[in-house]
C-alpha cells in the first residue's frame, strides 16, 4: 500500500504532476527546450519576487548549496547554523577549501540579527550563509531581519538555504537582499527529488568572477553565462522530466491555486499541527520562530515513534522521527507542498486513534 508522506521531503506528489514526469523527451538543444526553460525561469522570478537570474541544477539542493558557498566566497564565509543543515554548509566550505567560520545556536533556537551584525562588524567575512527553515528542528530563521543587517555592510553575499520552505512560505528575494536563494524540487514545490533551483543576483555574479577554482559542474557563474548565451539551455543534459513537471506545477501554483492561497494554506496547516502538538505534546522550537512547513514535536509522552510510524504505515501514512541526536526526543510532521487540510485532519485523527488521545 502506498503511504501518504508527511515527512519533510520527499513529499507526497500529486498524480497529475507525476504524470508530467512521463512526458516524451525533447532534445535539450532544441528551441522547445529553450522555451520550456525560459518559461520556468520567468515563473520562478514571479514566485521569488526577484529580477535575478534563475539557475536550475540537475542535483539535489545540496549541490547548489555547495556551488554557492564555493563560487561566492573570496575571503571567508560566516555560516550561521541552527541545526543539521546549517552545519552541512560549513562542512561543504571546509571540504572545498573555502575559509569559513561556524556560528551555532542551540537546537530549537533561531539565529538573531544581532549575532550576524556582531560577526560582520569584524570585517573578516564577505559571505553570509543562513538556513531559512531548519528542517531538523522546525525553526524558521528571521531572514528578512538578517537581510537588513547584511545590507548595512558593503559587498557581502547573502546566501540562503530555503530548501524546505521556498514556495511554501513567502520569501521576497530582492526586498530582503538575498543574493542566492536555494531550493529543491522534493520539498514545498511538490515534485519528485532530483533537481534544484536557485536565484543568482548580479552581485553574486560579480563576486564569482573574482573567485578562482569554482569547480566545474556546480560552477554557478559558468551556468549563468551559458544560459545567457544559449537562450536558457544548460551546458550538460538536464533532467527534462523534472522540467516538464516543474513547468506544469508552476502554472498550477501561479494560475490555479494562486501563490497567496498556497502560502495561506501552509499557515493554516501549520496552525493545525501546532495546536494538536500543544494539546498532546509540546513544540520543540522557539514559538517566536516556528516553521510554516514542518513542525518538530517534543516527545513528552515518551511514545515509541518507530512503533507509531509502523501503525501509521498500516493505515497508509508516514511521519518522520527526530533528526540525528533528536531521533527519539522529537518527531516531525511536515505540512508542505500540496498537502490539504483534509489530509492533515485525517493524519491527526489516525494518530489520535493509535495513541488513544482525545480528538
Ligand atoms: C532537505 C534539505 C536540504 C538538502 O536538500 P537535498 O535536496 O536533499 O540535497 C538542505 N537544507 C534543508 C533545510 C533541507 O530541508
Amino acid at each position: 500500500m502506498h503511504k501518504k508522506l508527511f515527512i519533510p521531503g520527499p513529499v507526497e506528489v500529486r498524480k497529475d504532476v507525476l504524470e508530467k514526469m512521463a512526458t516524451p523527451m525533447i532534445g535539450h538543444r532544441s528551441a522547445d527546450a529553450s522555451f520550456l526553460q525560459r518559461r520556468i525561469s520567468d515563473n520562478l522570478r514571479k514566485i521569488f519576487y526577484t529580477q535575478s537570474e534563475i539557475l536550475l541544477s540537475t542535483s539535489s539542493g545540496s549541490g547548489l548549496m555547495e556551488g554557492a558557498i564555493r563560487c561566492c566566497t573570496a575571503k571567508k564565509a560566516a555560516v550561521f547554523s541552527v541545526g543539521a543543515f546549517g552545519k552541512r554548509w560549513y562542512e561543504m566550505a571546509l571540504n572545498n577549501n573555502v575559509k569559513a567560520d561556524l556560528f551555532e545556536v542551540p537546537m530549537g533556537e533561531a539565529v538573531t540579527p544581532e549575532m550576524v551584525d556582531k560577526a560582520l562588524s569584524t570585517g573578516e567575512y564577505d559571505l553570509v550563509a543562513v538556513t531559512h527553515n531548519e528542517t531538523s528542528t522546525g525553526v524558521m530563521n528571521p531572514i528578512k531581519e538578517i537581510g537588513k543587517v547584511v545590507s548595512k555592510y558593503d559587498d557581502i553575499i547573502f546566501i540562503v538555504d530555503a530548501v524546505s520552505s521556498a514556495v511554501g512560505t513567502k520569501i521576497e528575494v530582492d526586498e530582503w537582499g538575498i543574493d542566492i536563494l536555494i531550493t529543491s524540487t522534493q520539498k514545498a514545490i511538490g515534485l519528485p527529488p532530483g533537481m534544484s533551483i536557485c536565484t543568482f543576483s548580479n552581485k553574486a555574479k560579480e563576486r564569482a568572477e573574482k573567485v578562482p577554482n569554482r569547480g566545474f559542474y556546480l560552477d554557478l557563474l559558468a551556468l549563468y553565462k551559458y544560459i545567457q548565451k544559449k537562450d536558457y539551455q544548460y551546458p550538460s543534459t538536464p533532467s527534462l522530466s523534472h522540467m516538464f513537471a516543474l513547468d506544469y506545477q508552476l502554472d498550477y501554483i501561479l494560475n490555479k491555486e494562486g501563490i497567496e492561497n498556497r502560502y495561506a494554506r501552509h499557515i493554516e496547516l501549520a496552525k493545525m499541527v501546532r495546536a494538536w502538538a500543544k494539546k498532546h505534546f509540546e513544540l520543540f522550537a522557539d514559538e517566536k520562530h516556528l516553521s510554516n512547513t514542518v513542525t518538530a514535536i517534543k516527545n513528552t509522552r515518551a511514545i515509541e515513534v518507530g512503533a507509531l510510524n509502523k501503525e501509521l504505515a498500516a493505515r497508509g501514512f508516514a511521519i518522520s522521527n527526530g533528526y540525528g541526536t533528536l531521533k527519539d526526543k522529537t518527531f516531525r510532521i511536515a505540512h508542505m507542498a500540496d498537502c490539504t487540510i483534509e489530509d492533515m485532519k485525517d493524519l491527526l485523527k489516525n494518530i489520535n486513534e493509535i495513541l488513544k488521545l482525545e480528538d
Side-chain angles (χ1 to χ4, degrees):
M1 182 178 42
H2 172 65
K3 296 187 277 293
K4 202 173 254 186
L5 299 179
F6 293 84
I7 62 174
V11 296
E12 193 64 22
V13 179
R14 294 201 324 275
K15 191 161 170 287
D16 49 331
V17 176
L18 282 176
E19 281 166 4
K20 288 291 161 188
M21 294 286 290
T23 306
M25 280 304 119
I26 56 174
H28 72 301
R29 296 278 171 253
S30 64
D32 287 346
S34 288
F35 183 79
L36 175 69
Q37 287 152 195
R38 190 166 351 101
R39 184 163 63 196
I40 288 171
S41 298
D42 288 343
N43 281 336
L44 284 166
R45 264 193 286 274
K46 285 183 204 156
I47 289 177
F48 294 141
Y49 303 90
T50 187
Q51 307 286 327
S52 285
E53 189 52 279
I54 302 289
L55 306 177
L56 304 174
S57 171
T58 301
S59 66
S60 74
S62 301
L64 283 177
M65 286 169 68
E66 181 162 352
I69 201 157
R70 175 168 176 168
C71 295
C72 291
T73 309
K75 216 156 67 176
K76 198 181 201 185
V79 179
F80 294 87
S81 171
V82 303
F85 291 105
K87 274 199 205 118
R88 181 179 290 191
W89 230 338
Y90 178 63
E91 280 166 31
M92 285 170 173
L94 298 188
N95 283 292
N96 278 286
N97 251 331
V98 170
K99 287 208 184 91
D101 285 331
L102 178 65
F103 299 88
E104 280 186 282
V105 303
M107 300 274 261
E109 293 178 24
V111 175
T112 64
E114 293 74 29
M115 272 176 76
V116 178
D117 205 359
K118 192 165 163 232
L120 292 183
S121 68
T122 62
E124 279 186 56
Y125 306 101
D126 63 354
L127 179 140
V128 167
V130 187
T131 316
H132 179 222
N133 191 72
E134 180 49 69
T135 317
S136 61
T137 61
V139 165
M140 203 153 82
N141 277 318
I143 289 300
K144 181 181 178 183
E145 290 72 23
I146 292 169
K148 270 197 198 124
V149 167
V150 173
S151 70
K152 286 199 315 186
Y153 295 87
D154 270 349
D155 211 24
I156 307 273
I157 300 297
F158 186 29
I159 68 177
V160 177
D161 165 2
V163 170
S164 63
S165 53
V167 199
T169 198
K170 194 172 196 168
I171 302 173
E172 295 180 67
V173 167
D174 290 357
E175 178 79 23
W176 299 3
I178 300 169
D179 292 296
I180 303 180
L181 182 90
I182 300 160
T183 196
S184 308
T185 48
Q186 80 278 14
K187 305 239 171 141
I189 298 182
L191 256 55
M195 197 162 226
S196 52
I197 297 162
C198 75
T199 66
F200 191 63
S201 73
N202 209 39
K203 198 168 142 195
K205 174 189 149 244
E206 284 167 6
R207 169 63 60 75
E209 279 165 350
K210 294 186 197 125
V211 176
N213 298 319
R214 296 180 304 271
F216 186 87
Y217 190 68
L218 297 168
D219 177 354
L220 304 193
L221 181 61
L223 283 182
Y224 174 90
K225 284 187 175 161
Y226 199 95
I227 66 171
Q228 304 309 314
K229 207 166 110 197
K230 302 275 187 175
D231 194 12
Y232 285 89
Q233 292 176 12
Y234 280 84
S236 47
T237 324
S239 174
L240 292 157
S241 307
H242 279 89
M243 289 172 169
F244 292 128
L246 179 58
D247 183 43
Y248 175 81
Q249 178 72 335
L250 293 174
D251 177 58
Y252 169 86
I253 291 168
L254 285 166
N255 305 317
K256 302 216 168 54
E257 178 169 34
I259 190 70
E260 293 296 339
N261 294 336
R262 188 174 184 83
Y263 296 147
R265 176 173 53 78
H266 278 80
I267 290 171
E268 198 180 339
L269 286 166
K271 283 185 176 162
M272 239 172 109
V273 177
R274 289 171 200 161
W276 176 85
K278 283 168 95 165
K279 184 168 173 195
H280 301 296
F281 294 88
E282 278 173 37
L283 295 172
F284 178 73
D286 177 351
E287 289 209 31
K288 291 193 293 294
H289 299 286
L290 293 175
S291 162
N292 288 338
T293 52
V294 59
T295 297
I297 298 153
K298 223 190 251 178
N299 187 6
T300 49
R301 290 174 178 259
I303 60 161
E304 272 187 60
V305 178
L308 169 63
N309 234 344
K310 227 178 202 169
E311 293 198 50
L312 280 172
R315 295 166 182 241
F317 303 92
I319 61 168
S320 198
N321 54 13
Y323 196 100
T325 52
L326 299 172
K327 188 165 186 283
D328 297 309
K329 292 186 203 138
T330 64
F331 59 98
R332 293 171 299 159
I333 298 178
H335 28 84
M336 58 173 89
D338 295 311
C339 177
T340 66
I341 304 296
E342 285 313 307
D343 291 336
M344 190 55 74
K345 276 192 187 149
D346 206 16
L347 171 74
L348 297 178
K349 183 172 144 287
N350 277 276
I351 299 179
N352 286 350
E353 279 174 20
I354 294 166
L355 297 178
K356 302 191 169 56
L357 302 172
E358 270 175 51
D359 272 330

